[in-house]
Every structure is written in structure tokens, then in C-alpha cells.
């Protein structure tokens, strides 16, 4: 049993529901099928050639920028996930290949422009709360140094610490590794992302995972206030 709590402080920022996918029996080493690799190549080509200012002005990305600005955070220093991913692809000259789970949801992020949090389900302790921090805190992002969390920053956290900060960075202590068996995908979204749009993104992730992970079990949930699953 796992409990999810959507704090009212987040609803005040316009995040009135959070969409979650729980994937069991995943395999980070699963060979990706040719159909997915073709889609990955197409998204890589798009990322290398798109007009980044145009992408930045789309309603979905604008929604993320509005959220950051509403809590006094710099968009330049904390770019929405997809803009950061596009810049990373351009810097490298190619899309990163990390493991099959991450590769699949990175492609979906580029496709939908959504920030998708991905975490190892078995590393999470107790409940997850989606909230404005309401206290000074610290956060260790993947492949980075510790960040200061101000009391107005929006985060989601379990009983041990912060899983994701400002919807732009995921936490080191909850990341996928070579042993990951169960995953959770979290799409907080913003004022311009409907529940349907986010559920469709999770459905595409489910389909891509299922193509190469035959024992996959996948469930989606919409959290509006408090929910136990």
C-alpha cells in the first residue's frame, strides 16, 4: 500500500491533479526494438533541428515557465525539462542512451514536451507528498551537487527526502540503476496540460516498455487530493 498526498499549496499554483504510472517487472537492460529505435532517431533529429524559441513558446513549456516564475525561480537557471534535454542533445550531437527505461521516457518527453519524473519505486519510503516545500531544505539532483530548497519551491518528497524539485530535477537517491525492477513515472504538469494528455503520454510509455519487457504490469492513477494504492 502506498499513499499519495496532493497538498493544497500545489493547487494554489494551478496543479490540481498529478498523473502517475506504476510499472512493475521492468528491465533496464531490455534490448530496445527496431520500432522504438526508429522513433528515438526521429525525435533526436527533431531535437537537433527544431527552433528552440518556438518550442519554448508552446503552451506546455510556457506553463512550466509560468510556474517557475510564480515561485520566483529563474527559467534561465532552471529550464523546463524538455528545453534542458534538447540542449543536452545538441551539446552531445545525439540523444543520450542511458538504459531502456530512461531512453523510453526521454523520447516521450520530447514527443509530448512534458516533464516526466522517473524513479525506482523500491527506493521510496512510505507516502509521496506533492507540495510547496514550506521549509528550507536540501536536495541532491542526479549527477549534480546539493541544491538549496527554499520554502516556496514546489517539490515531491517521501519520508526520507525530496524525489523531484521544481519539476526540473530528479533526485539521486531515487534514480533507476542496473537492478531496478519497479518504476514510478510522475507527471505533475501545469495549467496547460490536461489529465487526458498526461494519461496518453503514460500510455505511450507503457506500450514502449511492454514491447521489450514481456512481464510488465502497468497501472495509471490520477491524484486529486489523497489516494492510497
Amino acid at each position: 500500500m502506498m499513499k499519495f498526498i496532493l497538498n493544497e499549496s500545489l493547487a494554489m499554483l494551478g496543479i490540481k491533479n498529478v498523473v502517475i504510472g506504476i510499472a512493475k517487472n521492468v528491465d533496464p537492460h531490455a534490448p530496445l526494438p527496431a520500432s522504438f529505435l526508429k522513433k528515438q532517431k526521429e525525435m533526436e533529429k527533431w531535437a537537433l533541428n527544431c527552433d528552440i524559441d518556438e518550442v519554448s513558446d508552446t503552451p506546455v513549456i510556457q506553463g512550466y515557465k509560468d510556474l517557475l516564475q510564480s515561485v520566483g525561480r529563474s527559467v534561465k537557471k532552471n529550464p523546463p525539462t524538455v528545453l534542458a534535454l534538447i540542449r543536452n542533445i545538441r551539446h552531445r550531437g545525439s540523444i543520450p542512451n542511458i538504459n531502456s527505461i530512461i531512453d523510453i521516457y526521454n523520447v516521450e518527453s520530447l514527443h509530448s514536451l512534458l516533464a516526466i519524473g522517473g524513479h525506482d519505486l523500491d527506493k521510496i519510503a512510505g507516502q509521496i507528498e506533492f507540495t510547496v516545500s514550506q521549509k528550507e531544505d536540501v536536495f541532491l539532483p542526479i549527477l549534480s551537487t546539493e541544491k538549496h530548497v527554499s520554502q516556496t519551491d514546489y517539490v515531491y518528497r517521501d519520508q526520507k527526502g525530496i524525489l523531484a524539485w521544481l519539476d526540473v530535477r530528479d533526485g539521486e537517491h531515487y534514480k533507476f540503476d542496473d537492478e531496478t525492477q519497479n518504476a514510478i513515472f510522475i507527471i505533475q504538469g501545469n495549467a496547460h496540460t490536461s489529465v487526458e494528455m498526461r494519461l496518453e503520454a503514460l500510455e505511450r510509455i507503457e506500450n514502449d516498455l511492454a514491447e521489450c519487457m514481456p512481464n510488465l504490469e502497468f497501472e495509471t492513477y490520477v491524484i486529486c487530493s489523497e489516494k492510497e494504492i
Side-chain angles (χ1 to χ4, degrees):
M1 190 71 85
M2 193 171 194
K3 189 176 184 183
F4 296 92
I5 297 164
L6 179 53
N7 187 283
E8 206 167 86
S9 61
L10 219 51
M12 303 283 281
L13 291 176
I15 298 172
K16 299 194 164 44
N17 41 59
V18 174
V19 172
I20 288 170
I22 290 184
K24 296 193 168 168
N25 307 320
V26 294
D27 177 5
H29 308 288
L32 293 162
S35 56
F36 175 79
L37 293 174
K38 181 172 180 278
K39 185 161 65 167
Q40 186 186 44
K41 203 76 196 153
E42 284 164 4
M43 290 319 304
E44 176 186 81
K45 190 178 174 187
W46 173 80
L48 289 168
N49 295 298
C50 68
D51 182 329
I52 205 157
D53 292 330
E54 262 179 38
V55 176
S56 186
D57 289 341
T58 58
V60 172
I61 302 293
Q62 190 59 54
Y64 288 121
K65 293 192 295 187
D66 291 346
L67 267 173
L68 286 160
Q69 286 163 339
S70 73
V71 297
R73 283 293 187 177
S74 158
V75 172
K76 197 169 181 167
K77 285 185 186 161
N78 307 289
T81 304
V82 170
L83 297 184
L85 181 54
I86 291 170
R87 287 182 186 130
N88 181 23
I89 291 167
R90 289 183 174 189
H91 177 70
R92 296 164 46 90
S94 61
I95 199 165
N97 289 299
I98 300 161
N99 71 41
S100 299
I101 308 166
I102 297 169
D103 293 355
I104 282 169
Y105 81 88
N106 271 346
V107 164
E108 179 51 40
S109 268
L110 291 169
H111 179 269
S112 61
L113 306 183
L114 290 165
I116 303 169
H119 316 277
D120 187 317
L121 186 63
D122 299 314
K123 293 180 181 178
I124 296 166
Q127 66 186 34
I128 296 180
E129 182 185 27
F130 302 90
T131 185
V132 167
S133 180
Q134 298 172 43
K135 62 180 182 182
E136 304 284 318
D137 209 340
V138 290
F139 167 64
L140 183 62
I142 295 171
L143 297 175
S144 190
T145 51
E146 215 167 65
K147 303 270 184 205
H148 170 259
V149 178
S150 80
Q151 55 187 15
T152 50
D153 289 346
Y154 45 95
V155 299
Y156 52 89
R157 58 190 175 209
D158 69 356
Q159 288 160 343
K160 292 184 299 187
I162 293 172
L163 281 82
W165 173 69
L166 297 175
D167 220 4
V168 298
R169 301 298 292 270
D170 286 347
E172 173 72 26
H173 301 307
Y174 306 91
K175 72 180 181 184
F176 298 125
D177 59 35
D178 286 347
E179 309 304 316
T180 296
Q181 294 176 320
N182 302 300
I184 184 167
F185 301 102
I186 294 175
I187 313 181
Q188 285 188 144
N190 58 56
H192 300 296
T193 63
S194 66
V195 168
E196 292 72 25
M197 175 192 186
R198 285 174 281 157
L199 285 172
E200 283 167 11
L202 287 178
E203 194 180 330
R204 286 188 291 269
I205 289 173
E206 177 185 1
N207 292 339
D208 285 338
L209 291 171
E211 264 195 70
C212 55
M213 301 172 197
N215 299 318
L216 180 78
E217 293 172 26
F218 199 99
E219 295 285 339
T220 54
Y221 304 90
V222 180
I223 314 300
C224 298
S225 54
E226 205 168 293
K227 194 175 200 134
E228 286 195 16
I229 60 171

